[in-house]
Every structure is written in C-alpha cells, then in structure tokens.
Amino acid sequence: MSFPLKEEVYYFTRVKDTHEQNSELYITLFARLMVKTAVKVKTIWVEIEEVKWEQASTKLQAMTNRMYTYSIPENVFHELLRVSEVCHKELYYLTPIYKTKKQVTLG
C-alpha cells in the first residue's frame, strides 16, 4: 500500500481594516504567507502595521476594508517571500497570480 505524497497548498492573505481608538482613526494592514498540508498550517511570514488615518495616502484611505485570501502557485509563493524580505509594504497592495481567491468585507 502506498500513501499519497504530502500535498502543500500555498496561501497569501492581505487585510486592510479601519478602526477608531481614543477618538482617532487608524488603518490596520496585515499580510501573511502560509503553507497548508493535510496535517498542519505553517505561517512562513507575517507582518502587521497600524497607520494613523491622516498619515495614510489617499490610495490607502480609499481601499475597501476587506480581507483577501489567495491560493497561489508555489513559484508565486516563493517570489512573494522574496519581496517580503526587501519591501514588505508592497504586499499590502498586491494582487498575486492566484488559483483561487476568497474575499470578506470587514466592518
């Protein structure tokens, strides 16, 4: 009897959300690269940042509060991992080549 090879599925998630704290508006940005197998989910890279509304670009302010999760090919995953090491802030705006996409509107 042979067992199937361990299949890995690669994911990229990015989130933009807005919230108020002490009468000030903030934007929270989140990005994560993870690998899922039948046995476990492993986060390879994650970053979260908070920006005051008035310090954010017009482009960032205009973005919808939403969470996107993309199932991506392995080669795209490795390229995004490389990008995360040199200019991770770009990942908050990026839409990668993907196999599937799930999106959830926030708040």
Side-chain angles (χ1 to χ4, degrees):
M1 173 187 265
S2 66
F3 293 97
L5 294 174
K6 183 170 84 172
E7 183 180 336
E8 295 181 326
V9 182
Y10 299 88
Y11 290 98
F12 170 61
T13 300
R14 67 179 171 88
V15 179
K16 184 255 182 176
D17 196 16
T18 306
H19 67 281
E20 188 175 333
Q21 182 178 332
N22 299 327
S23 301
E24 289 191 89
L25 247 142
Y26 290 87
I27 297 171
T28 301
L29 301 166
F30 172 84
R32 174 174 54 190
L33 291 165
M34 64 183 189
V35 180
K36 184 177 181 180
T37 66
V39 180
K40 66 180 179 176
V41 175
K42 183 175 181 182
T43 296
I44 305 299
W45 174 86
V46 66
E47 189 71 39
I48 188 167
E49 292 188 31
E50 196 166 77
V51 179
K52 284 187 176 183
W53 181 268
E54 63 271 3
Q55 295 174 342
S57 68
T58 306
K59 178 181 174 182
L60 180 56
Q61 291 174 354
M63 286 174 58
T64 306
N65 289 342
R66 192 167 284 164
M67 177 175 67
Y68 296 93
T69 301
Y70 304 94
S71 170
I72 56 177
E74 182 178 6
N75 63 327
V76 173
F77 179 88
H78 290 295
E79 186 61 24
L80 293 179
L81 187 57
R82 188 189 67 74
V83 169
S84 75
E85 295 169 355
V86 292
C87 52
H88 74 272
K89 292 182 185 225
E90 297 300 318
L91 296 180
Y92 298 133
Y93 305 96
L94 189 115
T95 301
I97 295 171
Y98 59 88
K99 296 177 182 178
T100 63
K101 173 175 84 170
K102 178 183 174 187
Q103 57 183 330
V104 177
T105 302
L106 304 173

